[in-house]
Amino acid sequence: MTTPQGGAAATGTWIGVGLSVALLGLSVLSCLATGIVAANESERFAVEVSYVTVPMIAGGLVPWIVALLTRKKSRALAVGAPLGCGCLSWAVALVGTIAFYALVWDSL
């Protein structure tokens, strides 16, 4: 297959999508771990564990969008962008979760 200019078509890479699958699997495992801790430990400890594990949901879902959009770009971008967005979305969700528990949870 060639492009209209006569060059080879960009085939893309599925590495970033595969890494997104791995991040999604990690987020599912973290949700399962949160449920196990909530069922077997005290409420206070379960909340402390959820500070780290619940934001992993964003870290597992956001990279899919980026991976599919950058799949046909350069290999470095197709691999690095989903990883970077997954880690960044986890960090933002972590700050949001801690802020929620610190500011809102006590007043509920």
Side-chain angles (χ1 to χ4, degrees):
M1 176 181 242
T2 61
T3 62
Q5 292 80 18
T11 58
T13 181
W14 289 96
I15 296 171
V17 177
L19 291 171
S20 296
V21 169
L23 288 173
L24 183 63
L26 186 64
S27 70
V28 168
L29 289 176
S30 73
C31 289
L32 291 173
T34 303
I36 290 169
V37 169
N40 295 320
E41 299 293 333
S42 67
E43 180 182 359
R44 180 175 179 83
F45 184 66
V47 168
E48 290 172 357
V49 167
S50 71
Y51 284 166
V52 177
T53 57
V54 170
M56 289 293 292
I57 296 168
L61 294 177
V62 171
W64 280 94
I65 299 166
V66 178
L68 293 175
L69 291 175
T70 61
R71 189 179 73 78
K72 293 195 178 204
K73 306 294 182 191
S74 71
R75 184 173 294 240
L77 182 65
V79 172
L83 284 176
C85 287
C87 293
L88 183 63
S89 63
W90 175 78
V92 169
L94 177 69
V95 170
T97 302
I98 291 172
F100 171 77
Y101 280 133
L103 300 175
V104 178
W105 189 260
D106 289 333
S107 65
L108 293 178

Coordinates of all heavy atoms in Angstrom, one line a residue:
M1 N 0.8 -1.2 0.0 CA 0.0 0.0 0.0 C 0.9 1.2 0.0 O 1.9 1.3 0.7 CB -0.9 0.0 1.2 CG -1.8 1.2 1.4 SD -2.8 1.1 2.9 CE -4.3 1.1 2.1
T2 N 0.6 2.2 -0.8 CA 1.3 3.4 -0.9 C 0.5 4.6 -0.6 O -0.8 4.6 -0.8 CB 2.0 3.6 -2.2 OG1 1.0 3.6 -3.2 CG2 3.0 2.4 -2.5
T3 N 1.1 5.7 -0.2 CA 0.4 7.0 0.0 C 0.2 7.7 -1.4 O 0.9 7.3 -2.4 CB 1.1 7.9 0.9 OG1 2.4 8.2 0.4 CG2 1.3 7.2 2.3
P4 N -0.6 8.7 -1.5 CA -0.8 9.4 -2.7 C 0.5 10.0 -3.3 O 0.7 10.2 -4.4 CB -1.8 10.5 -2.4 CG -2.6 10.0 -1.3 CD -1.6 9.1 -0.5
Q5 N 1.5 10.3 -2.4 CA 2.8 10.8 -2.8 C 3.7 9.8 -3.3 O 4.8 10.0 -3.7 CB 3.4 11.6 -1.6 CG 2.7 12.9 -1.2 CD 1.5 12.6 -0.3 OE1 1.4 11.5 0.3 NE2 0.6 13.6 -0.2
G6 N 3.3 8.5 -3.2 CA 4.1 7.4 -3.7 C 5.0 6.7 -2.6 O 5.6 5.8 -2.9
G7 N 4.9 7.2 -1.4 CA 5.7 6.6 -0.3 C 5.0 5.5 0.3 O 3.8 5.2 0.0
A8 N 5.6 4.8 1.2 CA 5.0 3.7 2.0 C 4.0 4.2 3.0 O 4.2 5.3 3.6 CB 6.0 2.8 2.6
A9 N 2.9 3.5 3.2 CA 1.9 4.0 4.2 C 2.4 3.7 5.6 O 3.2 2.7 5.8 CB 0.6 3.2 3.9
A10 N 2.0 4.5 6.5 CA 2.4 4.3 7.9 C 1.6 3.1 8.4 O 0.4 3.0 8.4 CB 2.1 5.5 8.7
T11 N 2.3 2.1 8.9 CA 1.7 0.9 9.4 C 1.3 1.0 10.9 O 0.3 0.4 11.3 CB 2.6 -0.3 9.3 OG1 3.8 0.0 10.0 CG2 2.9 -0.6 7.8
G12 N 1.9 1.9 11.6 CA 1.6 2.0 13.0 C 2.1 0.9 13.9 O 2.7 -0.1 13.4
T13 N 1.9 1.1 15.2 CA 2.4 0.1 16.1 C 1.3 -0.1 17.1 O 0.6 0.8 17.5 CB 3.7 0.5 16.8 OG1 4.1 -0.5 17.7 CG2 3.6 1.8 17.5
W14 N 1.2 -1.3 17.6 CA 0.2 -1.7 18.6 C 0.9 -1.8 20.0 O 0.2 -2.2 20.9 CB -0.4 -3.0 18.2 CG -1.3 -2.9 17.1 CD1 -1.0 -3.1 15.8 CD2 -2.7 -2.4 17.1 NE1 -2.1 -2.9 14.9 CE2 -3.1 -2.4 15.7 CE3 -3.5 -2.0 18.1 CZ2 -4.4 -2.1 15.4 CZ3 -4.8 -1.6 17.7 CH2 -5.2 -1.7 16.4
I15 N 2.1 -1.4 20.1 CA 2.8 -1.5 21.4 C 2.1 -0.6 22.5 O 1.9 -1.0 23.6 CB 4.3 -1.1 21.3 CG1 5.0 -2.1 20.4 CG2 5.0 -1.1 22.7 CD1 6.4 -1.7 20.1
G16 N 1.8 0.6 22.1 CA 1.1 1.5 23.0 C -0.3 1.0 23.4 O -0.7 1.2 24.6
V17 N -1.0 0.4 22.5 CA -2.3 -0.2 22.8 C -2.1 -1.4 23.8 O -2.8 -1.5 24.8 CB -3.0 -0.6 21.6 CG1 -4.4 -1.3 21.9 CG2 -3.3 0.6 20.7
G18 N -1.0 -2.2 23.6 CA -0.7 -3.3 24.5 C -0.4 -2.8 25.9 O -0.8 -3.4 26.9
L19 N 0.4 -1.7 25.9 CA 0.7 -1.1 27.3 C -0.6 -0.6 27.9 O -0.7 -0.6 29.1 CB 1.7 0.0 27.1 CG 3.1 -0.5 26.7 CD1 4.0 0.7 26.4 CD2 3.7 -1.3 27.8
S20 N -1.5 0.0 27.1 CA -2.8 0.4 27.7 C -3.6 -0.7 28.3 O -4.2 -0.6 29.3 CB -3.6 1.1 26.6 OG -3.0 2.3 26.2
V21 N -3.5 -1.9 27.6 CA -4.1 -3.1 28.2 C -3.5 -3.5 29.5 O -4.2 -3.8 30.5 CB -4.0 -4.3 27.2 CG1 -4.5 -5.6 27.8 CG2 -4.9 -4.0 25.9
A22 N -2.2 -3.4 29.6 CA -1.5 -3.7 30.8 C -1.9 -2.7 31.9 O -2.1 -3.1 33.1 CB 0.0 -3.6 30.6
L23 N -2.0 -1.4 31.6 CA -2.4 -0.4 32.6 C -3.9 -0.7 33.0 O -4.2 -0.5 34.2 CB -2.3 1.0 32.1 CG -0.8 1.5 31.9 CD1 -0.8 2.8 31.2 CD2 -0.2 1.6 33.3
L24 N -4.7 -1.1 32.1 CA -6.1 -1.4 32.4 C -6.2 -2.6 33.3 O -6.9 -2.6 34.3 CB -6.9 -1.6 31.2 CG -8.4 -1.9 31.4 CD1 -9.1 -0.7 32.0 CD2 -9.1 -2.3 30.1
G25 N -5.4 -3.6 33.1 CA -5.3 -4.8 33.9 C -4.8 -4.4 35.3 O -5.3 -4.9 36.3
L26 N -3.8 -3.5 35.4 CA -3.4 -3.1 36.7 C -4.4 -2.3 37.5 O -4.6 -2.5 38.7 CB -2.1 -2.2 36.5 CG -1.4 -1.7 37.8 CD1 -0.8 -2.9 38.5 CD2 -0.3 -0.8 37.4
S27 N -5.2 -1.5 36.8 CA -6.3 -0.8 37.4 C -7.4 -1.7 37.9 O -8.0 -1.5 39.0 CB -6.9 0.3 36.5 OG -7.6 -0.3 35.5
V28 N -7.7 -2.8 37.1 CA -8.7 -3.8 37.6 C -8.2 -4.5 38.8 O -8.9 -4.7 39.8 CB -9.0 -4.8 36.5 CG1 -9.8 -6.0 37.0 CG2 -9.8 -4.1 35.3
L29 N -6.9 -4.9 38.9 CA -6.3 -5.5 40.0 C -6.4 -4.6 41.3 O -6.6 -5.0 42.4 CB -4.9 -6.0 39.8 CG -4.8 -7.2 38.8 CD1 -3.3 -7.5 38.5 CD2 -5.5 -8.4 39.4
S30 N -6.1 -3.3 41.0 CA -6.1 -2.4 42.2 C -7.6 -2.2 42.7 O -7.7 -2.1 43.9 CB -5.6 -1.0 41.8 OG -6.4 -0.3 40.9
C31 N -8.6 -2.3 41.8 CA -9.9 -2.2 42.3 C -10.3 -3.5 43.1 O -11.0 -3.4 44.1 CB -10.9 -2.0 41.1 SG -10.8 -0.4 40.4
L32 N -9.8 -4.6 42.6 CA -10.1 -5.8 43.4 C -9.4 -5.8 44.7 O -9.9 -6.2 45.7 CB -9.6 -7.0 42.6 CG -10.4 -7.4 41.3 CD1 -9.7 -8.5 40.5 CD2 -11.8 -7.8 41.7
A33 N -8.2 -5.3 44.8 CA -7.5 -5.2 46.0 C -8.2 -4.2 47.0 O -8.3 -4.5 48.2 CB -6.0 -4.6 45.8
T34 N -8.8 -3.1 46.5 CA -9.5 -2.2 47.3 C -10.7 -2.9 47.9 O -11.0 -2.8 49.1 CB -10.0 -1.0 46.5 OG1 -8.9 -0.4 45.9 CG2 -10.7 0.0 47.4
G35 N -11.4 -3.7 47.1 CA -12.6 -4.5 47.6 C -12.2 -5.5 48.7 O -12.9 -5.7 49.7
I36 N -11.1 -6.2 48.5 CA -10.6 -7.2 49.4 C -10.2 -6.5 50.8 O -10.6 -7.0 51.8 CB -9.4 -8.0 48.9 CG1 -9.9 -8.9 47.7 CG2 -8.7 -8.8 49.9 CD1 -8.8 -9.5 46.9
V37 N -9.5 -5.4 50.7 CA -9.2 -4.7 51.9 C -10.4 -4.1 52.6 O -10.5 -4.2 53.8 CB -8.2 -3.5 51.6 CG1 -8.0 -2.6 52.8 CG2 -6.8 -4.1 51.1
A38 N -11.4 -3.6 51.8 CA -12.6 -3.1 52.4 C -13.4 -4.2 53.1 O -14.1 -3.9 54.1 CB -13.4 -2.4 51.4
A39 N -13.4 -5.4 52.6 CA -14.1 -6.5 53.2 C -13.4 -7.1 54.4 O -14.1 -7.6 55.3 CB -14.3 -7.6 52.2
N40 N -12.1 -7.0 54.5 CA -11.4 -7.7 55.6 C -10.8 -6.8 56.6 O -10.4 -7.3 57.7 CB -10.3 -8.6 55.0 CG -10.9 -9.7 54.1 OD1 -11.9 -10.2 54.5 ND2 -10.3 -9.9 53.0
E41 N -10.7 -5.5 56.4 CA -10.0 -4.6 57.3 C -10.9 -3.6 57.8 O -12.1 -3.5 57.5 CB -8.8 -4.0 56.6 CG -7.7 -5.0 56.2 CD -7.0 -5.7 57.3 OE1 -6.9 -5.1 58.4 OE2 -6.6 -6.8 57.0
S42 N -10.4 -2.7 58.6 CA -11.2 -1.6 59.2 C -11.5 -0.5 58.1 O -10.8 -0.5 57.1 CB -10.5 -0.9 60.3 OG -9.3 -0.2 59.9
E43 N -12.6 0.2 58.3 CA -12.9 1.3 57.4 C -11.8 2.3 57.2 O -11.5 2.7 56.1 CB -14.2 2.0 57.8 CG -14.7 3.0 56.8 CD -15.9 3.8 57.3 OE1 -16.5 3.4 58.4 OE2 -16.4 4.6 56.6
R44 N -11.2 2.7 58.2 CA -10.1 3.7 58.2 C -8.9 3.2 57.3 O -8.4 3.9 56.4 CB -9.6 4.0 59.6 CG -8.5 5.0 59.6 CD -8.1 5.4 61.0 NE -7.0 6.3 61.0 CZ -7.2 7.6 60.9 NH1 -8.4 8.1 60.7 NH2 -6.1 8.4 60.9
F45 N -8.6 1.9 57.5 CA -7.5 1.4 56.7 C -7.9 1.2 55.2 O -7.1 1.5 54.3 CB -7.0 0.0 57.2 CG -5.9 -0.6 56.5 CD1 -4.6 0.0 56.6 CD2 -6.0 -1.7 55.7 CE1 -3.5 -0.5 55.9 CE2 -4.9 -2.3 55.1 CZ -3.7 -1.6 55.1
A46 N -9.1 0.8 55.0 CA -9.6 0.7 53.6 C -9.6 2.1 52.9 O -9.3 2.2 51.7 CB -11.0 0.1 53.6
V47 N -10.0 3.1 53.6 CA -9.9 4.5 53.0 C -8.5 4.9 52.7 O -8.2 5.4 51.6 CB -10.6 5.5 53.9 CG1 -10.3 6.9 53.5 CG2 -12.1 5.3 54.0
E48 N -7.6 4.5 53.6 CA -6.2 4.9 53.3 C -5.6 4.1 52.1 O -4.9 4.6 51.3 CB -5.3 4.6 54.6 CG -5.6 5.5 55.7 CD -5.0 5.2 57.0 OE1 -4.3 4.1 57.0 OE2 -5.1 5.9 58.0
V49 N -6.0 2.9 52.0 CA -5.6 2.1 50.8 C -6.2 2.6 49.5 O -5.6 2.7 48.5 CB -6.0 0.6 51.0 CG1 -5.8 -0.2 49.7 CG2 -5.1 0.0 52.1
S50 N -7.5 3.1 49.6 CA -8.1 3.6 48.4 C -7.5 4.9 47.9 O -7.8 5.3 46.8 CB -9.6 3.8 48.7 OG -9.9 4.8 49.5
Y51 N -6.8 5.6 48.8 CA -6.1 6.8 48.3 C -5.2 6.5 47.1 O -5.1 7.3 46.2 CB -5.1 7.4 49.4 CG -5.8 8.1 50.5 CD1 -5.1 8.4 51.7 CD2 -7.1 8.5 50.5 CE1 -5.6 9.1 52.7 CE2 -7.7 9.2 51.5 CZ -6.9 9.5 52.6 OH -7.5 10.2 53.7
V52 N -4.6 5.4 47.1 CA -3.7 5.0 46.0 C -4.4 4.1 44.9 O -4.1 4.3 43.7 CB -2.5 4.3 46.6 CG1 -1.5 3.8 45.5 CG2 -1.7 5.2 47.5
T53 N -5.2 3.2 45.3 CA -5.8 2.3 44.4 C -6.9 2.8 43.6 O -7.0 2.4 42.4 CB -6.2 1.0 45.1 OG1 -7.2 1.3 46.1 CG2 -5.1 0.3 45.8
V54 N -7.8 3.6 44.1 CA -8.9 4.1 43.3 C -8.5 5.0 42.1 O -9.0 4.9 41.1 CB -10.0 4.8 44.2 CG1 -11.0 5.5 43.4 CG2 -10.6 3.8 45.1
P55 N -7.5 5.9 42.3 CA -7.1 6.7 41.1 C -6.5 5.9 40.0 O -6.4 6.3 38.9 CB -6.0 7.6 41.7 CG -6.4 7.7 43.2 CD -6.9 6.4 43.5
M56 N -6.1 4.6 40.3 CA -5.6 3.7 39.2 C -6.7 3.5 38.1 O -6.4 3.1 37.0 CB -5.2 2.4 39.8 CG -3.9 2.5 40.6 SD -2.5 2.9 39.6 CE -2.3 1.4 38.7
I57 N -8.0 3.7 38.4 CA -9.0 3.6 37.4 C -8.8 4.6 36.3 O -8.8 4.2 35.1 CB -10.4 3.8 38.1 CG1 -10.7 2.7 39.1 CG2 -11.5 3.8 37.0 CD1 -11.9 3.0 40.0
A58 N -8.5 5.8 36.6 CA -8.2 6.8 35.6 C -6.9 6.4 34.9 O -6.8 6.6 33.6 CB -8.0 8.2 36.2
G59 N -5.9 5.9 35.6 CA -4.6 5.5 35.0 C -4.8 4.3 34.0 O -3.9 4.1 33.2
G60 N -5.9 3.6 34.1 CA -6.1 2.5 33.2 C -7.1 2.8 32.1 O -7.0 2.1 31.1
L61 N -7.9 3.8 32.2 CA -8.9 4.1 31.2 C -8.4 5.2 30.2 O -8.7 5.2 29.0 CB -10.2 4.5 31.8 CG -10.9 3.4 32.6 CD1 -12.2 4.0 33.2 CD2 -11.3 2.3 31.7
V62 N -7.7 6.2 30.7 CA -7.3 7.4 29.9 C -6.3 7.0 28.8 O -6.4 7.5 27.7 CB -6.7 8.5 30.8 CG1 -6.1 9.6 29.9 CG2 -7.9 9.1 31.6
P63 N -5.3 6.1 29.0 CA -4.4 5.8 28.0 C -4.9 5.2 26.7 O -4.3 5.2 25.7 CB -3.4 4.8 28.6 CG -3.5 5.0 30.1 CD -4.9 5.5 30.3
W64 N -6.1 4.6 26.8 CA -6.7 4.0 25.6 C -7.0 5.0 24.5 O -6.7 4.8 23.3 CB -8.1 3.3 26.0 CG -7.9 2.0 26.6 CD1 -7.9 1.7 27.9 CD2 -7.8 0.8 25.9 NE1 -7.7 0.4 28.1 CE2 -7.6 -0.2 26.9 CE3 -7.7 0.4 24.6 CZ2 -7.5 -1.5 26.5 CZ3 -7.6 -0.9 24.2 CH2 -7.4 -1.9 25.2
I65 N -7.5 6.2 24.9 CA -7.8 7.2 23.9 C -6.5 7.7 23.3 O -6.4 7.8 22.0 CB -8.5 8.4 24.7 CG1 -9.8 8.0 25.3 CG2 -8.7 9.6 23.7 CD1 -10.4 8.9 26.3
V66 N -5.5 7.9 24.1 CA -4.2 8.4 23.5 C -3.5 7.3 22.7 O -3.0 7.6 21.6 CB -3.3 8.9 24.7 CG1 -1.9 9.3 24.2 CG2 -3.9 10.0 25.5
A67 N -3.6 6.1 23.1 CA -2.9 5.0 22.4 C -3.6 4.8 21.0 O -2.9 4.6 20.0 CB -3.0 3.7 23.1
L68 N -4.9 4.9 20.9 CA -5.5 4.8 19.6 C -5.3 6.0 18.7 O -5.2 5.9 17.5 CB -7.0 4.5 19.8 CG -7.3 3.2 20.4 CD1 -8.8 3.0 20.7 CD2 -6.8 2.0 19.6
L69 N -5.2 7.2 19.3 CA -4.9 8.4 18.5 C -3.5 8.5 18.0 O -3.2 9.0 16.9 CB -5.3 9.6 19.3 CG -6.7 9.9 19.6 CD1 -6.9 11.1 20.5 CD2 -7.5 10.0 18.3
T70 N -2.5 7.9 18.8 CA -1.1 8.1 18.4 C -0.5 6.8 17.8 O 0.7 6.7 17.6 CB -0.3 8.5 19.6 OG1 -0.4 7.5 20.6 CG2 -0.7 9.8 20.1
R71 N -1.3 5.8 17.5 CA -0.9 4.5 17.1 C -0.1 4.6 15.8 O 0.9 3.9 15.5 CB -2.0 3.6 16.9 CG -1.6 2.1 16.6 CD -2.8 1.2 16.4 NE -3.5 1.5 15.2 CZ -3.2 1.0 14.0 NH1 -2.1 0.3 13.9 NH2 -3.9 1.2 12.9
K72 N -0.5 5.5 14.9 CA 0.2 5.6 13.6 C 1.2 6.7 13.5 O 1.7 7.1 12.5 CB -0.8 5.8 12.5 CG -1.7 4.6 12.3 CD -2.5 4.6 11.0 CE -3.2 3.3 10.9 NZ -3.6 3.0 9.5
K73 N 1.6 7.3 14.7 CA 2.6 8.3 14.7 C 4.0 7.6 14.9 O 4.1 6.4 14.7 CB 2.4 9.2 15.9 CG 1.0 9.9 15.9 CD 0.9 10.8 14.7 CE -0.5 11.5 14.8 NZ -0.9 12.2 13.6
S74 N 5.0 8.3 15.2 CA 6.3 7.7 15.4 C 6.2 6.7 16.6 O 5.4 6.8 17.5 CB 7.3 8.8 15.8 OG 7.1 9.3 17.0
R75 N 7.1 5.7 16.6 CA 7.1 4.7 17.6 C 7.3 5.3 19.0 O 6.6 4.8 19.9 CB 8.2 3.7 17.3 CG 8.1 2.5 18.3 CD 9.1 1.4 17.9 NE 8.7 0.8 16.6 CZ 8.4 -0.4 16.5 NH1 8.5 -1.2 17.5 NH2 8.0 -0.9 15.3
A76 N 8.2 6.2 19.1 CA 8.4 6.8 20.5 C 7.1 7.5 21.0 O 6.8 7.4 22.2 CB 9.5 7.8 20.4
L77 N 6.4 8.2 20.1 CA 5.2 8.9 20.6 C 4.1 7.8 20.8 O 3.4 8.0 21.8 CB 4.7 9.9 19.5 CG 3.5 10.7 19.8 CD1 3.8 11.6 21.0 CD2 3.1 11.5 18.6
A78 N 4.0 6.8 20.0 CA 3.0 5.8 20.1 C 3.1 5.0 21.4 O 2.2 4.5 21.9 CB 2.9 4.9 18.9
V79 N 4.4 4.9 21.9 CA 4.6 4.1 23.1 C 4.6 5.0 24.3 O 4.1 4.7 25.4 CB 6.0 3.3 23.0 CG1 6.3 2.7 24.3 CG2 5.8 2.3 21.9
G80 N 5.3 6.2 24.2 CA 5.5 7.1 25.3 C 4.2 7.8 25.7 O 4.0 8.1 26.9
A81 N 3.4 8.2 24.8 CA 2.2 9.0 25.1 C 1.2 8.3 26.0 O 0.7 8.8 27.0 CB 1.6 9.5 23.8
P82 N 0.9 7.0 25.7 CA -0.1 6.3 26.6 C 0.5 6.1 28.0 O -0.2 6.3 29.0 CB -0.3 5.0 25.9 CG 0.0 5.2 24.5 CD 1.1 6.2 24.4
L83 N 1.8 5.8 28.1 CA 2.4 5.6 29.4 C 2.4 6.9 30.1 O 2.1 7.0 31.3 CB 3.8 5.1 29.3 CG 4.0 3.6 28.9 CD1 5.4 3.3 28.8 CD2 3.4 2.8 30.0
G84 N 2.8 8.0 29.5 CA 2.8 9.3 30.1 C 1.4 9.8 30.6 O 1.2 10.3 31.7
C85 N 0.4 9.6 29.7 CA -0.9 10.0 30.0 C -1.5 9.1 31.1 O -2.3 9.6 32.0 CB -1.8 9.9 28.8 SG -1.5 11.3 27.7
G86 N -1.2 7.8 31.1 CA -1.6 7.0 32.2 C -1.1 7.4 33.6 O -1.8 7.5 34.6
C87 N 0.2 7.6 33.6 CA 0.9 8.0 34.9 C 0.4 9.4 35.3 O 0.1 9.7 36.5 CB 2.4 8.0 34.7 SG 3.0 6.4 34.5
L88 N 0.2 10.3 34.3 CA -0.2 11.7 34.7 C -1.7 11.7 35.1 O -2.0 12.3 36.1 CB -0.1 12.6 33.5 CG -0.4 14.1 33.7 CD1 0.5 14.7 34.7 CD2 -0.4 14.8 32.4
S89 N -2.5 10.9 34.5 CA -3.9 10.8 34.9 C -4.0 10.2 36.3 O -4.9 10.6 37.1 CB -4.8 10.1 33.9 OG -4.4 8.8 33.8
W90 N -3.2 9.2 36.6 CA -3.2 8.6 37.9 C -2.7 9.7 39.0 O -3.4 9.7 40.0 CB -2.2 7.4 38.0 CG -2.1 6.9 39.4 CD1 -3.0 6.1 40.0 CD2 -1.0 7.1 40.3 NE1 -2.5 5.8 41.3 CE2 -1.3 6.4 41.5 CE3 0.1 7.8 40.3 CZ2 -0.5 6.4 42.6 CZ3 1.0 7.8 41.4 CH2 0.6 7.1 42.5
A91 N -1.7 10.4 38.7 CA -1.3 11.5 39.6 C -2.3 12.5 39.9 O -2.6 12.9 41.0 CB 0.0 12.1 39.1
V92 N -3.0 13.0 38.8 CA -4.1 14.0 39.0 C -5.2 13.4 39.8 O -5.8 14.0 40.6 CB -4.5 14.5 37.6 CG1 -5.8 15.3 37.7 CG2 -3.4 15.3 36.9
A93 N -5.6 12.1 39.4 CA -6.7 11.5 40.2 C -6.3 11.3 41.6 O -7.1 11.4 42.5 CB -7.1 10.2 39.5
L94 N -5.0 11.0 41.9 CA -4.5 10.8 43.3 C -4.7 12.1 44.1 O -5.2 12.1 45.2 CB -3.1 10.4 43.3 CG -2.4 10.2 44.6 CD1 -3.0 9.0 45.4 CD2 -0.9 10.0 44.5
V95 N -4.3 13.2 43.5 CA -4.4 14.5 44.2 C -5.9 14.8 44.4 O -6.3 15.3 45.5 CB -3.7 15.6 43.4 CG1 -4.1 17.0 43.9 CG2 -2.2 15.4 43.4
G96 N -6.8 14.5 43.4 CA -8.2 14.8 43.5 C -8.8 13.9 44.6 O -9.7 14.4 45.3
T97 N -8.4 12.6 44.7 CA -9.0 11.7 45.7 C -8.6 12.2 47.1 O -9.4 12.2 48.0 CB -8.5 10.3 45.4 OG1 -8.9 9.9 44.1 CG2 -9.1 9.3 46.4
I98 N -7.3 12.5 47.3 CA -6.8 13.0 48.6 C -7.5 14.3 49.0 O -7.9 14.4 50.1 CB -5.3 13.1 48.6 CG1 -4.7 11.7 48.5 CG2 -4.8 13.8 49.8 CD1 -3.2 11.7 48.3
A99 N -7.7 15.2 48.0 CA -8.4 16.4 48.3 C -9.9 16.1 48.7 O -10.4 16.7 49.6 CB -8.3 17.4 47.1
F100 N -10.5 15.2 48.0 CA -11.9 14.9 48.3 C -12.0 14.3 49.7 O -12.8 14.7 50.5 CB -12.4 13.8 47.3 CG -13.7 13.3 47.7 CD1 -14.9 14.0 47.5 CD2 -13.8 12.0 48.2 CE1 -16.1 13.5 47.9 CE2 -15.0 11.4 48.6 CZ -16.2 12.2 48.4
Y101 N -11.1 13.4 50.0 CA -11.2 12.8 51.4 C -10.8 13.8 52.4 O -11.4 13.8 53.5 CB -10.2 11.6 51.5 CG -10.8 10.3 50.9 CD1 -10.1 9.5 50.0 CD2 -12.1 9.9 51.2 CE1 -10.6 8.4 49.5 CE2 -12.6 8.7 50.6 CZ -11.9 8.0 49.8 OH -12.4 6.8 49.3
A102 N -9.9 14.7 52.2 CA -9.5 15.7 53.2 C -10.5 16.8 53.4 O -10.7 17.2 54.5 CB -8.1 16.2 52.8
L103 N -11.1 17.2 52.3 CA -12.0 18.4 52.3 C -13.5 18.0 52.5 O -14.2 18.7 53.2 CB -11.8 19.2 51.1 CG -10.4 19.8 50.9 CD1 -10.3 20.5 49.6 CD2 -10.0 20.7 52.0
V104 N -13.9 17.0 51.8 CA -15.4 16.7 51.7 C -15.8 15.5 52.6 O -16.8 15.5 53.2 CB -15.8 16.4 50.3 CG1 -17.2 16.1 50.2 CG2 -15.5 17.6 49.4
W105 N -15.0 14.5 52.7 CA -15.4 13.2 53.4 C -15.8 13.5 54.8 O -16.8 12.9 55.3 CB -14.2 12.2 53.3 CG -14.6 10.9 53.8 CD1 -14.3 10.3 55.0 CD2 -15.3 9.9 53.0 NE1 -14.8 9.0 55.0 CE2 -15.4 8.7 53.9 CE3 -15.9 9.8 51.8 CZ2 -16.1 7.6 53.5 CZ3 -16.6 8.7 51.4 CH2 -16.6 7.6 52.2
D106 N -15.1 14.3 55.6 CA -15.4 14.5 57.0 C -16.7 15.2 57.2 O -17.4 15.0 58.2 CB -14.3 15.4 57.6 CG -13.0 14.6 57.8 OD1 -13.1 13.3 57.9 OD2 -11.9 15.2 57.8
S107 N -17.2 16.0 56.2 CA -18.4 16.7 56.4 C -19.6 15.9 55.9 O -20.8 16.3 56.1 CB -18.4 18.0 55.6 OG -18.3 17.7 54.2
L108 N -19.4 14.7 55.3 CA -20.5 13.9 54.9 C -21.2 13.1 56.0 O -21.0 12.6 56.9 CB -20.1 12.8 53.8 CG -19.6 13.5 52.5 CD1 -19.1 12.4 51.6 CD2 -20.8 14.2 51.9

